[in-house]
Amino acid sequence: MTNDTICALATPAGGAIGIIRISGEKALDITDSIFRPTRQYRTLHDARTQTVTYGTIMDGDGNTVDNALVSVFRAPHSYTGENCAEISCHGSRYILNKVLQLLINAGCRQANPGEYTQRAFLNGKMDLSQAEAVADLIASTNSATHRLAVGQLRGNISTEMSRLRDRLLKMTSLMELELDFSDHEELEFTDRSELFDLAQTIDSHIMRLTSSFSSGLAIKQGIPVAIVGKTNVGKSTLLNLLVGEEKAIVSNIHGTTRDVIEDTTDINGVTFRFIDTAGIRKTDDEIERIGIERTYSKLNSATIVLWLVDDIPSGDECEEMRELCHDKRLIIVNNKTDRKDLTSQLSPLLYQHIPSAVIIGISARESINIDNLRNTIYRLADLPDISENDVILTSARHYDSLMRAHESITRVINGFKMNLSNDMLSEDLRLCLNHLAEVTGGQITTNEVLGNIFKHFCIGK
């Protein structure tokens, strides 16, 4: 990191209040050059850390720009670990841009995306997994993603990595101590059977974490649910009902939906991505045919499929359901509740072809039994109950590092089985340690890697 003092807007412009953050060695000096405390302190250097001072922002000609509050945070007791100031003024775009211009003229540099959090990481205020959690917390859109981000920010993943690394370090130290005294055959510091058991225990913990990634990614990105069926069975009506707005055109004309339409909604605090697809039928219309091809493509990426019917499907249609949804969680939705006999007739037919399918009767037009459908969708998502104390992976970077740690510790386990010497096992143990350290940033040294992580942050964070 450079010794530059940086500044940036930390709130959207145009609101009632705007906050500008300044961080760096000269943060208080530069802020002092444009700020005049009204009373109590002559300069901000007289203010105690973590206090707020009222005063006036002045331009170079002595004109008032705005009245403002300035919060003072002295190193290391700040978000970045550096001297920091936060100017709270009115949210006018003109005022905020004027204050930023004055700060830059006085010696500040405009902050890069994520630079405040990057400095916090480099100054030891948080590890890398916690820094990434800051971005996840800002981006959280429901209670599930919020709980995961809060848990990671509190250090849940950091604590888990620390425990694994401590056990590996003990194991590595004992093995390398034996190597140091290899000339003394009578000395034995390790019991290989105990080390073998420890390696297997560590590997089981790593695999438990990696197995949580699929659930974590689904919660973070939203669980995809495809709505499919023949034309004019009510797919678009159901999409509009589930997401609570008119996203898709509803018409009695066959083939109205010719492209994929997506929107999200929350069910029990979890985001689901509903995908309305073109009705499946034989057609000579080139545009509609392309839409049907996209329907099949979206089916591949869906976790749950709602297959709407309004009549007894043919054997061929049942076989198509079975073939297309063999690896999906399938809900057959009877969208004609006025035909109560339809659901009872569907059960034996579908059980014969698709025994794992769930059958539900609804009326999208009359909004009948929709809550039951929502609850069934949530149940089939098969998500774990999430608390702020749970350790669930949501980052592909963390998953990749842990999978490489698993590969390294697996080689150690196989080495024990083959009775390889400790010096041959030690290198893989060190690799496993390094891969675990990558999660929290212990082995992240290149600017390229750090830049890739922090470039996705907003400017003021």
Side-chain angles (χ1 to χ4, degrees):
M1 293 297 295
T2 68
N3 292 322
D4 294 349
T5 297
I6 56 175
C7 66
L9 183 62
T11 54
I17 300 295
I19 296 176
I20 294 171
R21 311 179 86 178
I22 306 100
S23 181
E25 184 179 353
K26 298 180 180 178
L28 299 184
D29 292 328
I30 292 174
T31 307
D32 247 338
S33 69
I34 68 167
F35 179 71
R36 301 292 180 270
T38 302
R39 61 175 87 82
Q40 190 177 5
Y41 305 117
R42 191 167 58 85
T43 68
L44 291 176
H45 283 284
D46 298 325
R48 289 176 295 155
T49 188
Q50 298 176 331
T51 59
V52 180
T53 300
Y54 177 72
T56 305
I57 303 292
M58 309 289 289
D59 66 15
D61 297 325
N63 300 313
T64 297
V65 175
D66 195 14
N67 295 327
L69 293 171
V70 175
S71 303
V72 173
F73 305 92
R74 286 193 174 81
H77 306 294
S78 69
Y79 180 77
T80 61
E82 304 170 330
N83 286 336
C84 288
E86 290 186 357
I87 300 173
S88 299
C89 55
H90 292 98
S92 156
R93 292 180 183 274
Y94 171 79
I95 292 173
L96 294 172
N97 287 333
K98 183 67 175 179
V99 174
L100 284 171
Q101 181 185 352
L102 291 173
L103 289 169
I104 291 171
N105 291 342
C108 275
R109 169 176 63 79
Q110 174 71 40
N112 296 318
E115 190 169 356
Y116 293 96
T117 304
Q118 185 174 354
R119 290 187 176 203
F121 162 67
L122 293 172
N123 290 326
K125 300 297 289 186
M126 59 180 71
D127 66 37
L128 198 56
S129 69
Q130 291 173 305
E132 290 168 303
V134 173
D136 287 344
L137 189 61
I138 294 170
S140 62
T141 56
N142 55 56
S143 59
T145 52
H146 177 263
R147 284 195 295 271
L148 287 176
V150 167
Q152 189 170 326
L153 188 58
R154 285 180 173 176
N156 290 354
I157 289 180
S158 311
T159 301
E160 192 77 9
M161 292 302 102
S162 179
R163 289 170 180 164
L164 289 173
R165 291 188 69 202
D166 285 347
R167 301 182 81 171
L168 270 174
L169 280 170
K170 179 181 178 182
M171 184 176 176
T172 305
S173 300
L174 288 172
M175 291 178 69
E176 295 192 355
L177 186 63
E178 221 172 70
L179 290 174
D180 290 340
F181 290 89
S182 57
D183 294 338
H184 302 272
E185 295 182 1
E186 72 281 0
L187 293 178
E188 186 175 287
F189 296 95
T190 57
D191 183 328
R192 286 179 70 87
S193 64
E194 290 183 6
L195 292 180
F196 176 73
D197 291 341
L198 179 57
Q200 287 189 310
T201 300
I202 290 170
D203 188 46
S204 67
H205 281 294
I206 291 173
M207 293 311 296
R208 175 176 57 81
L209 288 171
T210 57
S211 65
S212 72
F213 179 62
S214 58
S215 295
L217 194 63
I219 292 169
K220 187 175 181 179
Q221 295 184 349
I223 299 165
V225 182
I227 305 174
V228 300
K230 295 187 297 185
T231 59
N232 217 25
V233 293
K235 299 186 300 297
S236 296
T237 303
L238 181 59
L239 172 73
N240 293 340
L241 188 62
L242 289 169
V243 302
E245 62 176 299
E246 298 294 318
K247 290 291 291 187
I249 298 173
V250 177
S251 169
N252 291 327
I253 301 172
H254 288 274
T256 304
T257 302
R258 298 190 170 202
D259 202 352
V260 171
I261 300 173
E262 296 190 32
D263 203 358
T264 61
T265 191
D266 284 3
I267 301 177
N268 298 337
V270 176
T271 298
F272 287 80
R273 290 189 291 111
F274 288 98
I275 308 159
D276 182 21
T277 60
I280 298 174
R281 67 167 182 166
K282 292 182 179 180
T283 179
D284 295 327
D285 188 300
E286 181 66 18
I287 296 175
E288 187 180 353
R289 187 182 59 78
I290 294 172
I292 293 170
E293 290 175 357
R294 292 182 180 180
T295 294
Y296 291 125
S297 176
K298 283 296 180 180
L299 268 171
N300 292 330
S301 61
T303 300
I304 299 171
V305 175
L306 307 182
W307 199 300
L308 267 66
V309 298
D310 60 359
D311 204 345
I312 298 295
S314 65
D316 289 343
E317 188 176 356
C318 289
E319 282 303 306
E320 186 175 33
M321 287 184 197
R322 184 186 64 78
E323 184 177 336
L324 293 174
C325 305
H326 69 279
D327 59 343
K328 311 297 180 186
R329 296 154 200 177
L330 178 61
I331 303 175
I332 307 298
V333 182
N334 165 23
N335 196 24
K336 298 289 184 181
T337 51
D338 56 318
R339 289 190 54 189
K340 295 183 179 178
D341 61 317
L342 181 56
T343 300
S344 61
Q345 292 176 46
L346 281 169
S347 297
L349 177 64
L350 293 173
Y351 183 76
Q352 176 186 350
H353 293 272
I354 319 168
S356 62
V358 176
I359 303 171
I360 292 179
I362 69 161
S363 173
R365 185 184 299 274
E366 303 297 331
S367 191
I368 295 173
N369 211 26
I370 300 302
D371 284 343
N372 184 25
L373 177 60
R374 289 175 180 272
N375 291 332
T376 303
I377 292 169
Y378 181 82
R379 177 172 59 82
L380 290 186
D382 194 26
L383 297 171
D385 292 329
I386 300 169
S387 73
E388 293 175 4
N389 297 320
D390 291 327
V391 183
I392 297 177
L393 295 187
T394 61
S395 166
R397 188 185 70 81
H398 298 173
Y399 176 77
D400 179 63
S401 295
L402 284 169
M403 285 303 297
R404 285 186 283 127
H406 162 66
E407 292 169 4
S408 298
I409 199 69
T410 298
R411 289 195 294 269
V412 173
I413 292 170
N414 291 335
F416 276 122
K417 291 178 180 178
M418 297 166 62
N419 202 30
L420 297 180
S421 61
N422 285 357
D423 59 333
M424 298 185 70
L425 301 179
S426 292
E427 179 60 29
D428 281 318
L429 280 174
R430 281 192 290 268
L431 282 174
C432 187
L433 277 167
N434 289 342
H435 294 321
L436 293 179
E438 288 170 354
V439 174
T440 55
Q443 295 295 316
I444 301 292
T445 56
T446 68
N447 288 332
E448 181 181 358
V449 174
L450 288 177
N452 185 58
I453 290 170
F454 289 104
K455 72 180 180 182
H456 301 293
F457 280 59
C458 53
I459 294 291
K461 203 63 181 176

